Amino acid sequence: MSTLRYGANVQANGVRLHYLLYGQARAGRDPIIILPGITSPAITWGFVGERFGREFETYILDIRGRGLSQSGPTLDYSLDAQAADLAALAAALKLRRYTVVGHSMGARIAVRAARSGLPGLTRLVLVDPPVSGPGRRAYPARLDWYVDSIRLSVAGCNAESMRAFCPTWTEDQLKLRAEWLHTCDERAVRESFDGFHNDDIHSDLGRITIPVRLIAAGRGDVIRDEDIAEIRRLMPSASTTRVVDAGHMIPWDDEAGFYAAFEEFLGAPLGAAISKEKQHVGQ
């Protein structure tokens, strides 16, 4: 049985934010807010929401400029604006306590938001966050990979057209990518990609006082061992783990390993994964 309850829109931080809600509130377990990556509408994390929803009330956010959330030619797509969206969303949903799980760009948003000590934010999970920034090595992905695939989807394309960009993905994953990628505003993606190189999240890490779990991919070169060591120096209380058999899109490469990497950090284990055939994808 699906744990999806509904999708909804809320006015927060002056913009319309769309989210999907999975699972029911459970006594003693904080709700989860999932922040996806640079071209990941909320629906592409639906298979994760289904699993989280078995144990937690779980919200998956369409980051501004993606999915069904607001976009536009004058909208602010900066990291600071995205971080303010998270704070405003939690307030609009009246969440007294909650945990944030951020993947890639979503993890950087969570770091920027958490540096100011958000009321109610109890735990933070950073899933393979780009560690690029001023004076640091570049993020190991090309902007044209995103832009070319977005333009193709805007014109209209099928799963086979997406295969050149994502050769290892399943047919269902490619279909969902082709269906939803056009909702990712090109300017939003360009500005977020630039932010990977211009925004200094390392200066934020030392200001975070809540428990943090870092989940790094075993492949893909987004986070190296020396990066983990630096993060641990900046946040000595952070716990870290690698999902050895996964690249940057960890839940898609090793879904069971992704859930296992949380261990008891969220207050309850996530347990066994759903079958690979039911996976969907975005990046």
Side-chain angles (χ1 to χ4, degrees):
M1 180 182 297
S2 174
T3 63
L4 175 64
R5 289 169 58 188
Y6 56 81
N9 297 285
V10 65
Q11 182 71 198
N13 194 29
V15 297
R16 183 192 71 253
L17 296 176
H18 175 262
Y19 63 88
L20 298 174
L21 175 59
Y22 295 82
Q24 303 288 336
R26 290 173 177 254
R29 299 185 185 181
D30 295 341
I32 310 291
I33 298 177
I34 295 178
L35 303 180
I38 190 170
T39 54
S40 290
I43 194 170
T44 64
W45 276 74
F47 72 99
V48 175
E50 291 283 4
R51 183 64 198 90
F52 270 68
R54 298 183 196 175
E55 306 295 340
F56 304 94
E57 182 179 68
T58 303
Y59 300 82
I60 308 179
L61 178 64
D62 272 327
I63 307 298
R64 59 168 65 198
R66 286 90 175 166
L68 300 182
S69 285
Q70 187 171 334
S71 62
T74 62
L75 197 63
D76 182 359
Y77 291 124
S78 68
L79 182 63
D80 287 338
Q82 294 167 337
D85 286 349
L86 171 59
L89 174 71
L93 296 175
K94 297 180 172 55
L95 300 180
R96 298 180 61 185
R97 293 173 54 90
Y98 61 97
T99 294
V100 170
V101 176
H103 172 248
S104 192
M105 179 191 74
R108 289 172 66 94
I109 294 170
V111 167
R112 179 55 53 92
R115 71 175 183 177
S116 58
L118 290 182
L121 179 59
T122 59
R123 299 180 187 88
L124 189 60
V125 181
L126 308 177
V127 182
D128 220 42
V131 293
S132 47
R136 297 177 177 273
R137 74 176 187 276
Y139 178 58
R142 302 193 322 269
L143 177 61
D144 61 358
W145 187 92
Y146 299 107
V147 172
D148 292 350
S149 58
I150 288 171
R151 291 179 178 177
L152 188 63
S153 69
V154 168
C157 68
N158 58 20
E160 190 59 34
S161 301
M162 287 286 105
R163 194 177 303 278
F165 299 92
C166 316
T168 64
W169 292 2
T170 68
E171 185 72 13
D172 284 345
Q173 291 167 353
L174 293 170
K175 286 178 180 177
L176 198 64
R177 181 79 168 170
E179 179 183 3
W180 280 91
L181 186 58
H182 75 92
T183 68
C184 295
D185 182 88
E186 181 179 324
R187 184 171 68 86
V189 173
R190 285 181 177 274
E191 294 192 11
S192 292
F193 188 87
D194 288 345
F196 285 174
H197 303 92
N198 298 327
D199 295 319
D200 179 13
I201 64 164
H202 288 78
S203 64
D204 301 333
L205 294 175
R207 299 168 58 181
I208 297 175
T209 58
I210 59 174
V212 175
R213 179 77 163 169
L214 173 65
I215 300 176
R219 305 191 308 269
D221 201 37
V222 174
I223 298 181
R224 300 173 182 173
D225 289 344
E226 58 265 34
D227 301 319
I228 292 177
E230 181 181 13
I231 292 170
R232 289 295 302 270
R233 287 195 300 270
L234 293 168
M235 293 190 301
S237 62
S239 61
T240 63
T241 188
R242 279 196 184 276
V243 183
V244 176
D245 294 327
H248 184 57
M249 302 302 291
I250 297 175
W252 293 266
D253 291 345
D254 183 359
E255 189 180 357
F258 174 67
Y259 300 138
F262 288 83
E263 297 178 331
E264 298 284 344
F265 185 80
L266 300 178
L270 287 165
I274 59 175
S275 67
K276 297 285 282 187
E277 289 75 16
K278 295 182 180 179
Q279 290 184 5
H280 297 296
V281 76
Q283 180 164 345

